[in-house]
């Protein structure tokens, strides 16, 4: 026979139930407040934001859709794979694999996106995982920053460096430069070959232009470099044996200026023998 709980026990159970319901309502309120705050931040962000499901479907903010020339509505039916050049998809999948497996929760990388007009947009992409209480992946939160201008500048700088290297390596004069610490920065092939023939030393970027010299040559070159470091254009002649013959060189040192600040010295040596 089941004993009915007395009124005190009944009140205690009712109180516990009310407490559980109250806590549940508070949690639901906090959850709604958090979701509302998250949605506000998500939509108002001035960089691209995406909530990406494991199957690749997207929920994006306006900044991201504007970046790629779409409306937010248009991107609802598009996956990140469709917005990625085909030759990059496998690489991105491999990068994200540790997040899917639970080995990590975030990653950052550069990738290209396909703009609506067919051009490519370079982006700095940060991906983090959102998991449920059991650790299962629910979705990815992705932040996308347009770095196309930076990539273009890097490409132009690389092209400029290649052009400069081609130009100076095509000259039959010794050309080099040193930084503020008197370390070699740029050395053309002709200069490296001449120095190797004269002193048996292979010059490399970062080596000290003074420490490689014997005391007599250092006494000659150090004050000349210093004058150029102080802003003076220095022209002088010196002689040095090369391939068992004395050679006469005319050397010009120029201060290197960046925004009005001297950052090093460039040099050109012409063999007048």
């Amino acid at each position: 026979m089941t004993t009915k709980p007395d009124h005190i026990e009944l009140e205690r159970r009712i109180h516990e139930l009310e407490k559980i319901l109250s806590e549940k309502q508070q949690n639901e309120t906090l959850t709604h407040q958090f979701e509302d705050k998250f949605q506000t931040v998500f939509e108002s962000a001035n960089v691209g934001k995406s909530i990406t499901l494991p199957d690749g479907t997207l929920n994006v903010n306006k900044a991201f859709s504007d970046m790629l020339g779409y409306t937010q509505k248009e991107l609802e039916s598009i996956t990140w794979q469709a917005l990625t050049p085909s030759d990059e998809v496998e690489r991105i999948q491999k990068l994200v694999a540790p997040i899917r497996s639970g080995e990590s929760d975030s990653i950052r990388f550069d990738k290209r996106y396909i703009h609506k007009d067919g051009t490519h947009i370079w982006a700095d992409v940060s991906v983090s995982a959102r998991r449920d209480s059991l650790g299962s992946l629910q979705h990815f939160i992705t932040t996308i920053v347009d770095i196309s201008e930076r990539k273009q500048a890097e490409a132009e700088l690389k092209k400029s460096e290649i052009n400069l290297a081609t130009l100076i390596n095509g000259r039959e004069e010794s050309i080099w430069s040193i930084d503020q610490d008197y370390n070699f920065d740029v050395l053309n092939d002709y200069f490296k070959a001449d120095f190797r023939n004269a002193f048996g030393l292979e010059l490399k970027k970062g080596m000290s232009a003074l420490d490689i010299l014997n005391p007599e040559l250092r006494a000659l070159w150090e004050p000349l470099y210093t004058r150029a470091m102080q802003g003076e254009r220095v022209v002088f002649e010196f002689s040095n044996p090369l391939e068992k013959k004395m050679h006469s060189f005319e050397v010009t040192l120029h201060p290197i200026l960046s925004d009005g600040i001297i950052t090093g010295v460039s040099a050109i040596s012409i063999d007048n023998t």
Side-chain angles (χ1 to χ4, degrees), residues 31-228:
T31 299
H32 288 312
Q33 289 176 347
F34 174 80
E35 289 176 348
D36 290 343
K37 185 176 181 180
F38 174 81
Q39 191 64 28
T40 299
V41 172
F42 181 84
E43 288 296 341
S44 62
N46 59 3
V47 296
K49 291 281 188 179
S50 168
I51 299 174
T52 308
L53 296 180
D55 66 0
T57 54
L58 302 169
N59 176 15
V60 306
N61 70 347
K62 188 174 186 301
F64 182 72
S65 60
D66 287 348
M67 186 189 305
L68 299 186
Y70 290 91
T71 65
Q72 288 174 272
K73 187 70 175 177
E74 286 176 316
L75 290 179
E76 288 180 0
S77 59
I78 297 179
T79 64
W80 71 263
Q81 292 93 332
L83 295 173
T84 302
S86 58
D87 60 343
E88 279 198 31
V89 172
E90 184 178 356
R91 177 179 72 89
I92 304 304
Q93 289 174 332
K94 288 181 179 179
L95 289 172
V96 177
I99 299 180
R100 288 182 172 276
S101 66
E103 295 176 36
S104 65
D105 284 323
S106 63
I107 192 170
R108 182 176 177 181
F109 51 87
D110 291 352
K111 73 177 292 291
R112 292 174 297 161
Y113 283 97
I114 303 172
H115 191 278
K116 189 176 182 179
D117 64 11
T119 59
H120 289 173
I121 303 294
W122 272 103
D124 178 336
V125 179
S126 298
V127 180
S128 60
R130 290 297 180 268
R131 306 184 190 278
D132 60 22
S133 59
L134 298 178
S136 298
L137 180 65
Q138 292 183 306
H139 56 261
F140 302 98
I141 300 292
T142 307
T143 300
I144 307 99
V145 179
D146 188 343
I147 58 170
S148 298
E149 290 185 3
R150 191 193 83 191
K151 286 291 187 178
Q152 182 178 356
E154 290 174 352
E156 290 176 354
L157 177 60
K158 184 176 181 179
K159 180 180 178 181
S160 177
E161 290 174 344
I162 292 172
N163 289 340
L164 177 61
T166 302
L167 176 63
I168 67 172
N169 284 323
R171 298 289 298 272
E172 293 188 355
E173 299 99 10
S174 293
I175 300 174
W176 71 96
S177 68
I178 60 173
D179 60 24
Q180 290 176 308
D181 297 319
Y182 296 79
N183 295 326
F184 286 118
D185 187 23
V186 173
L187 310 98
N188 77 338
D189 293 341
Y190 191 91
F191 177 49
K192 288 189 287 186
D194 257 7
F195 203 92
R196 182 172 57 250
N197 292 335
F199 302 102
L201 181 64
E202 189 71 42
L203 295 181
K204 295 180 181 179
K205 179 177 179 177
M207 293 176 64
S208 171
L210 298 176
D211 292 347
I212 61 173
L213 303 175
N214 62 39
E216 181 181 355
L217 286 176
R218 179 165 183 151
L220 168 68
W221 283 88
E222 187 168 8
L224 296 170
Y225 278 139
T226 299
R227 284 166 55 189

Side-chain angles (χ1 to χ4, degrees), residues 250-263:
E250 180 180 291
V251 181
T252 304
L253 305 178
H254 289 271
I256 300 172
L257 294 174
S258 177
D259 296 326
I261 299 173
I262 297 174
T263 59

Side-chain angles (χ1 to χ4, degrees), residues 21-38:
L21 290 173
S22 177
E23 289 176 349
K24 183 179 180 181
Q25 289 173 346
Q26 289 177 4
N27 288 336
E28 288 177 348
T29 299
L30 289 173
T31 299
H32 288 312
Q33 289 176 347
F34 174 80
E35 289 176 348
D36 290 343
K37 185 176 181 180
F38 174 81

